Amino acid sequence: MQKLYFLGGGNMCQAIVSGLVKQASFDITVIDNNADKRAHLEQAYGVHTGTVVPDLQADDVLLLAVKPQDMAAATAHVKSNGALILSIAAGLDIATLSAMLNNPRIIRIMPNTPAQIGMGVAGVFAPASLQAADKHIAEQIMSAVGQVYWLAEENRLHAITGISGSGPAYVFYLMDALAQAAQAQGFDAATARELSLATFKGAVALAEQSGLPFAQLQKNVTSKGGTTFAAITAFEAAHIAADIQAGVDACVARSEEMQSQLAKANHDG
């Protein structure tokens, strides 16, 4: 069985591990300095744990799941020996990671938090030099916790960060806004939460089943001069759609900025 090592045992690592153990397709070891995390991972998922990445073999896989700013220190003593490297660290490009690990066999992944319940979205990029077998491994790992979208260029990871990577936070923001509006209309906090949650769940399910464009679905419940029309008119007057676009643009710009900063810091270091 192929050996898969996780460097970092945080939430995203645990989400991916939870999906993979159901497949029983990898021999998994999680490397983390936190004893409580190691104990939880062993008890919850039955995986191996440790505090140091062993010297790797070429047919091993190492998934980097530590914070970008901690990556240089965390990988300083890692001997990858040509193993396949998967990175979910935002902002660290393949050139920077390759220099850190003395290994160009790297695939970058941008997952999102719904992976914790098996409903994630992962944008994935692999250089053209990598074999199809390496891409298959990355897809096998990430499809265990959601959908996988392959990107043609590495810089497209910034764009997918702005959409699906950070996207769940936008949805939670809108859910909270609707819940706050419900409270302003006199509902208690618990009922306001339930109403917002049920409305979002129902709308998503309807959109999935109908297959219609989102704009058409919105028009289907917006009778001219009616109650929904009044709300949509207020949203349009406030330029809500344009503001959401501006938020996505800001997220993408920050992702690009972080990559530049991390590349410079690691080059200077």
Side-chain angles (χ1 to χ4, degrees):
M1 188 178 291
Q2 190 166 31
K3 292 182 179 179
L4 169 59
Y5 297 90
F6 286 79
L7 181 56
N11 290 337
M12 193 55 68
C13 161
Q14 293 183 34
I16 298 170
V17 167
S18 71
L20 286 175
V21 293
K22 297 168 188 173
Q23 297 181 347
S25 51
F26 293 94
D27 180 5
I28 299 172
T29 301
V30 180
I31 308 300
D32 198 285
N33 290 327
N34 186 299
D36 290 338
K37 281 184 184 176
R38 294 198 305 273
H40 171 71
L41 284 155
E42 290 171 7
Q43 293 166 8
Y45 306 113
V47 298
H48 312 297
T49 66
T51 57
V52 178
V53 178
D55 288 358
L56 301 175
Q57 305 298 319
D59 57 351
D60 293 339
V61 182
L62 174 64
L63 194 151
L64 305 175
V66 298
K67 293 178 180 178
Q69 61 269 31
D70 299 333
M71 189 67 73
T75 59
H77 302 292
V78 171
K79 294 181 173 60
S80 65
N81 298 317
L84 175 61
I85 309 296
L86 309 179
S87 174
I88 62 170
L92 284 172
D93 60 20
I94 287 176
T96 301
L97 290 166
S98 181
M100 283 183 188
L101 291 154
N102 191 30
N103 184 352
R105 194 181 168 200
I106 297 172
I107 293 177
R108 285 185 63 195
I109 302 166
M110 172 50 63
N112 67 2
T113 54
Q116 295 171 18
I117 58 168
M119 296 182 69
V121 174
V124 186
F125 171 78
S129 58
L130 265 62
Q131 300 293 319
D134 288 343
K135 295 177 68 175
H136 174 74
I137 290 169
E139 176 139 1
Q140 181 181 6
I141 290 170
M142 296 312 301
S143 63
V145 290
Q147 299 181 50
V148 176
Y149 292 89
W150 285 95
L151 306 172
E153 300 172 351
E154 186 175 6
N155 64 10
R156 298 300 295 159
L157 284 159
H158 298 302
I160 207 160
T161 297
I163 302 300
S164 60
S166 298
Y170 315 157
V171 176
F172 299 143
Y173 183 90
L174 294 171
M175 291 172 72
D176 185 58
L178 189 58
Q180 288 186 43
Q183 287 185 259
Q185 293 298 324
F187 294 100
D188 62 72
T191 303
R193 174 184 168 83
E194 290 172 5
L195 286 169
S196 181
L197 188 59
T199 301
F200 271 79
K201 286 172 67 177
V204 168
L206 178 59
E208 283 186 330
Q209 290 181 24
S210 73
L212 292 171
F214 301 144
Q216 184 60 51
L217 287 165
Q218 179 245 300
K219 289 176 182 176
N220 289 351
V221 291
T222 309
S223 301
K224 189 169 179 64
T227 55
T228 308
F229 180 82
I232 297 298
T233 299
F235 294 157
E236 290 178 344
H239 307 293
I240 299 298
D243 286 345
I244 291 172
Q245 177 66 66
V248 171
D249 290 345
C251 179
V252 172
R254 179 56 181 149
S255 178
E256 293 169 345
E257 181 182 43
M258 285 174 61
Q259 178 167 301
S260 297
Q261 290 172 342
L262 287 164
K264 184 177 186 301
N266 283 288
H267 180 268
D268 292 347

